[in-house]
Amino acid sequence: SDLLMDHLERAVAEGGSGNSSVVVDLEKAFAAFTEAQFALCVSSGTSALIAACRAVGVRSGDLVGVSALGPVMSGQAILALGAQPVFLDSASESSFGISAASAAEATERGVKAVIVVPMWGYWDEQPAALSLFRRNGVPVIADAAQAPFLKLRAGLLNSADIACLSLHARKP
């Protein structure tokens, strides 16, 4: 609690914005912790998805693939950019992962990016679908807001180009 108050007071004293040294320190520490090249703190998971989509070049009118079983916020981020969500089917009735057939259809339609969602921390993305996106130059954004410390053998950032996480105290 004292540490939190110290950081909060320091951020307010430095102008109260996301540019305070407290935020910069968190971004650097989190990038090192996750072995990412960069980390960016934003106000919400939806804001993180919007920033991620912008970072990979999504603009108004573009098509963006998103898991049909994902939460509404994933689609909201796409709509906030003026882009169009393309809802992708899962690999099976018991899977959250995008099917290879749905991935193929999405790349044929010209999606600019795809958002995958490891619901409740379960990574079930199909290697064939991820490989297809990579071969076609479609950036993969992982909406891991419900799974901040998801562990994968290869590492999340080896499976996705960008990972959007949440550090909110109420997240699992």
Side-chain angles (χ1 to χ4, degrees):
S1 176
D2 289 341
L3 181 61
L4 176 63
M5 286 307 298
D6 290 344
H7 288 312
L8 184 57
E9 288 172 3
R10 192 167 121 209
V12 170
E14 293 176 6
S17 78
N19 295 323
S20 72
S21 63
V22 172
V23 175
V24 172
D25 291 347
L26 175 61
E27 290 171 340
K28 288 179 182 176
F30 200 76
F33 176 74
T34 58
E35 299 178 351
Q37 188 174 1
F38 303 102
L40 175 67
C41 292
V42 295
S43 62
S44 68
T46 304
S47 295
L49 289 169
I50 291 168
C53 286
R54 290 294 252 173
V56 299
V58 173
R59 299 296 181 259
S60 182
D62 288 340
L63 301 176
V64 178
V66 62
S67 171
L69 297 178
V72 70
M73 292 73 68
S74 303
Q76 274 183 319
I78 297 166
L79 292 172
L81 290 166
Q84 298 175 18
V86 174
F87 296 103
L88 306 177
D89 291 331
S90 62
S92 73
E93 292 176 2
S94 62
S95 174
F96 291 109
I98 295 168
S99 74
S102 194
E105 289 174 23
T107 56
E108 288 172 15
R109 287 186 66 189
V111 294
K112 184 75 174 194
V114 65
I115 298 174
V116 298
V117 186
M119 291 298 291
W120 306 293
Y122 296 107
W123 183 262
D124 196 23
E125 292 308 322
Q126 308 300 299
L130 293 173
S131 178
L132 194 129
F133 290 132
R134 292 232 188 272
R135 281 195 316 273
N136 287 282
V138 177
V140 175
I141 300 166
D143 178 357
Q146 298 295 332
F149 296 106
L150 175 68
K151 295 284 186 180
L152 302 177
R153 283 190 192 125
L156 181 56
L157 293 177
N158 288 320
S159 299
D161 298 293
I162 297 179
C164 297
L165 312 171
S166 175
L167 299 180
H168 193 281
R170 292 191 180 128
K171 297 290 181 165

